[in-house]
Amino acid sequence: MNQQAFKRRHPGSGRGKAVRTPKGRQVDPTSLAEVKNVLGERPRRRDLLIEFLHLIQDKYGCLRHRHLAALAHEMRLAMAEVFEVATFYAHFDIVPDDATPPKVTVRVCDSVVCALKGAAQILTEVSARAPAGVKVVPAPCMGRCADAPTAEVGHFHIDRCDADQVLQAAQNRTVEPVVPVYPDLDQYEKDAGYKLLRSCLAGDQNVESIMASLEHSGLRGLGGAGFPTARKWKFVRGYAGPRLMAVNADEGEPGTFKDRFFLEQDPHRVLEGTLIAAWAVKAEQIYFYLRDEYPAIRKILQREIDRLDAAGLTRHAPIILRRGAGAYICGEESSMIESIEGKRGLPRHRPPYVAEVGIFGRPTLVQNVETLYWIRDIVEKGAEWFAQQGKDEAKGPRSYSVSGRVRQPGVKIAPAGTTIRELINDYCGGMEEGHKFKGYLPGGASGGILPASMDDIPLDFGTLQKYGCFIGSAAIVVFSDQDSAKGVALNLMRFFEDESCGQCTPCRSGTEKAVAFMSQNRWDEPLLTELGATMTDASICGLGQAAANPLLSVFKYFREEL
């Protein structure tokens, strides 16, 4: 082909007056102006990407491709980088530019407790009867297991719902959260609130003596790991600053709702514990990471943190409220830190641990909501007051999130080491009418399943491992003779399959294969046992490592169903 013919075939090639056309997705000036208007004067920092995605979706009801391109341009990021973050989180609704977004989205919880209470039928009925413009999707646990079944219309939750209630809320566009009555700053201060923090900031308290009280009390991380709190503080203080702190309020474990309980009932006790912890380890900033399923708590925290700022109580460590976006994996501390940095919530390889290399590479103290809740009481009332509330060798009171087939579900504050028999009979009013106790989850979705015959095991750290289970965040789900242990285990494995971050093959493929095999009438025990062992031994983080626990529990304790 001669040169003239080549240029006719390929205009713009070669030198001279070439015809140049832009490559890649082009930024629409109107979309860029809209994005700039939404972001306002906020700094265009990389760690704010998820916050900006929330702001755009809050404004327009979805994330259009043109807005994602404009956001990438505005933040000087690659479009792929923005898109991979937006698609990682379940609560971002990404639609093509020419598509009509739903007027309202209805989420029906299909996790284990809601499933026991008939969520599948509600989802089917709402999907069939939903009017035009209403999007209906299944959703994982919303932290409202005591009031199952639950649905969410926009950000409005409907507890103990039926299909008619959900459809009526969707038709009426009832989408705003209901903020519960709670003790605000004025009420909290009337009960000596922030007296301890003020004495710390004034130099009247000794850090070493406070940490000694925490150590003698036996306070541990109550998000699931159970690491001694005082020891963690010492580790973080031992690394060179600047240091940061993160509060993990992203409880997404099916059956867990204790953090919601504490933040709704007494938010300032948690906030005071947070500010004392930051003072003790000399953290310069606090990132409060709250799951997106708690919109009412977000309003509470925004309001009360602003008041604390005005009162000068956060000068030593400003509190930055960060909003999750629907990813269970972000309850794992390194995944949460990745999300705080505006990235996909992929677990980090360890070591180094986050106490040394955490947010932005700085030493970071990560604490659970319930752990922080007890700090003020331990310091003011003494380590012995806390420690002596446990049973036998267990230390302290413990909040048990109890749900399922009991008469009075809810958060039960009981001595650490309380048994399931005591929780059901003494704290929950017994089993539901017509239901006979068959089994229970002692530690949420990943904590395994035990039969009713093992109802005298103290529920505390270290007491369940020999049975193939663990206490975790003390999410207790009770099921009855009318329920199937195989069905419960399959529901949990589907949850893990959906929530796997996909980073490692054993978890990503293992959970998918396990669901396929467990969906069959007959379970292949050798194959599933080998698959479970592979996930346990080779997965990067606790999701994959613990995903097989319910499955293996069925083989061990519920063989009559096989």
Side-chain angles (χ1 to χ4, degrees):
M1 183 185 295
N2 61 35
Q3 189 175 10
Q4 293 292 348
F6 181 84
K7 285 187 176 181
R8 286 195 300 272
R9 275 272 189 92
H10 305 279
S13 63
R15 298 179 181 179
K17 296 182 179 180
V19 178
R20 301 189 181 276
T21 57
K23 297 180 179 180
R25 180 176 290 275
Q26 301 309 298
V27 179
D28 167 36
T30 301
S31 301
L32 183 59
E34 290 172 344
V35 167
K36 286 184 175 181
N37 183 60
V38 171
L39 303 190
E41 299 301 318
R42 296 175 179 86
R44 275 40 169 179
R45 297 200 318 264
R46 174 65 180 77
D47 63 291
L48 292 174
L49 175 57
I50 295 172
E51 296 296 306
F52 291 166
L53 291 170
H54 274 305
L55 289 173
I56 295 170
Q57 180 159 289
D58 289 345
K59 174 69 174 179
Y60 295 103
C62 63
L63 295 174
R64 295 189 181 279
H65 290 175
R66 62 186 179 87
H67 284 142
L68 293 177
L71 180 61
H73 176 84
E74 182 68 8
M75 296 187 71
R76 299 185 178 182
L77 296 173
M79 177 62 178
E81 194 170 358
V82 173
F83 199 78
E84 72 173 7
V85 172
T87 54
F88 181 84
Y89 296 93
H91 287 189
F92 291 136
D93 193 4
I94 301 168
V95 300
D97 293 340
D98 58 351
T100 301
K103 296 177 181 178
V104 65
T105 297
V106 174
R107 293 182 170 90
V108 179
C109 177
D110 65 353
S111 286
V112 59
V113 183
C114 286
L116 293 177
K117 301 285 187 172
Q121 179 61 35
I122 294 173
L123 178 61
T124 299
E125 192 171 342
V126 172
S127 299
R129 295 168 52 194
V134 176
K135 179 181 178 180
V136 183
V137 295
C141 185
M142 300 177 186
R144 311 181 80 85
C145 314
D147 298 302
T150 291
E152 185 182 24
V153 180
H155 287 301
F156 175 74
H157 287 98
I158 308 172
D159 296 328
R160 302 178 188 269
C161 67
D162 59 33
D164 290 337
Q165 292 171 319
V166 176
L167 288 165
Q168 183 178 1
Q171 290 167 347
N172 295 340
R173 304 288 187 265
T174 309
V175 297
E176 289 302 311
V178 176
V179 179
V181 177
Y182 68 93
D184 63 8
L185 178 60
D186 293 335
Q187 293 171 283
Y188 183 71
E189 288 190 312
K190 288 179 181 178
D191 187 29
Y194 292 107
K195 180 179 178 181
L196 176 58
L197 174 64
R198 285 190 167 94
S199 68
C200 291
L201 298 178
D204 298 330
Q205 294 285 341
N206 180 275
V207 174
E208 285 71 22
S209 65
I210 288 181
M211 288 199 295
S213 293
L214 297 182
E215 185 173 7
H216 294 150
S217 73
L219 181 66
R220 304 172 72 165
L222 297 173
F227 194 84
T229 302
R231 194 185 307 172
K232 182 184 287 190
W233 288 18
K234 290 177 182 178
F235 283 156
V236 175
R237 277 177 59 89
Y239 293 114
R243 306 177 192 88
L244 298 172
M245 180 178 176
V247 179
N248 190 341
D250 192 62
E251 58 176 1
E253 185 87 358
T256 305
F257 46 93
K258 65 185 181 63
D259 291 356
R260 172 176 155 246
F261 171 83
F262 288 119
L263 290 170
E264 288 183 347
Q265 299 294 320
D266 205 349
H268 280 285
R269 195 170 295 269
V270 177
L271 291 171
E272 183 169 13
T274 300
L275 291 165
I276 290 170
W279 164 81
V281 302
K282 296 184 178 179
E284 296 183 358
Q285 282 183 322
I286 301 165
Y287 288 86
F288 202 113
Y289 190 88
L290 180 70
R291 67 185 309 216
D292 197 36
E293 289 85 349
Y294 291 167
I297 295 175
R298 187 169 69 252
K299 288 181 176 292
I300 291 172
L301 291 176
Q302 286 173 337
R303 183 184 305 161
E304 298 306 314
I305 290 171
D306 286 345
R307 297 191 64 187
L308 291 176
D309 291 341
L313 292 172
T314 60
R315 289 176 185 168
H316 67 295
I319 301 175
I320 301 167
L321 185 59
R322 284 293 171 86
R323 179 178 172 185
Y328 164 73
I329 191 64
C330 290
E332 193 274 336
E333 62 179 6
S334 68
S335 302
M336 176 189 67
I337 286 173
E338 289 288 299
S339 187
I340 288 172
E341 293 179 356
K343 306 172 188 174
R344 294 176 295 165
L346 301 180
R348 296 177 179 178
H349 292 273
R350 293 174 287 185
Y353 294 92
V354 301
E356 180 183 4
V357 181
I359 304 172
F360 309 132
R362 298 179 180 181
T364 302
L365 175 66
V366 178
Q367 295 280 212
N368 169 258
V369 167
E370 184 185 0
T371 304
L372 297 167
Y373 175 87
W374 293 114
I375 288 175
R376 176 188 164 189
D377 280 340
I378 290 172
V379 177
E380 291 183 345
K381 298 179 181 179
E384 288 300 314
W385 167 85
F386 184 87
Q388 290 178 356
Q389 294 189 57
K391 296 184 64 178
D392 299 324
E393 296 182 2
K395 291 187 176 182
R398 187 77 193 264
S399 68
Y400 296 92
S401 303
V402 188
S403 60
R405 302 296 193 181
V406 293
R407 290 179 185 270
Q408 300 166 12
V411 172
K412 312 297 178 180
I413 298 179
T418 297
T419 67
I420 185 63
R421 179 196 306 159
E422 292 167 331
L423 283 172
I424 293 174
N425 294 331
D426 301 340
Y427 292 86
C428 298
M431 295 290 292
E432 274 186 5
E433 186 70 30
H435 289 266
K436 182 180 178 181
F437 182 33
K438 177 178 180 178
Y440 64 107
L441 280 61
S446 54
I449 310 175
L450 291 173
S453 59
M454 301 174 67
D455 63 354
D456 59 350
I457 303 170
L459 298 177
D460 193 30
F461 294 112
T463 62
L464 295 163
Q465 278 78 349
K466 62 183 177 182
Y467 307 109
C469 301
F470 58 81
I471 186 69
S473 60
I476 314 295
V477 179
V478 178
F479 60 97
S480 77
D481 57 340
Q482 299 183 29
D483 306 311
S484 163
K486 285 179 63 177
V488 169
L490 176 57
N491 179 284
L492 299 175
M493 190 61 75
R494 283 176 173 152
F495 171 80
F496 291 131
E497 177 194 23
D498 189 58
E499 293 295 334
S500 172
C501 74
Q503 181 178 192
C504 69
T505 303
C507 177
R508 179 186 66 249
S509 297
T511 53
E512 179 185 5
K513 294 296 183 183
V515 167
F517 295 142
M518 293 168 69
S519 298
Q520 299 172 6
N521 289 332
R522 180 182 173 276
W523 286 10
D524 187 329
E525 184 171 355
L527 182 60
L528 282 168
T529 301
E530 182 181 3
L531 179 58
T534 301
M535 288 193 291
T536 300
D537 294 341
S539 295
I540 291 174
C541 80
L543 191 156
Q545 293 166 6
N549 286 343
L551 158 68
L552 299 176
S553 294
V554 173
F555 288 135
K556 189 179 294 185
Y557 302 117
F558 299 92
R559 300 198 63 84
E560 69 277 5
E561 293 192 17
L562 297 176

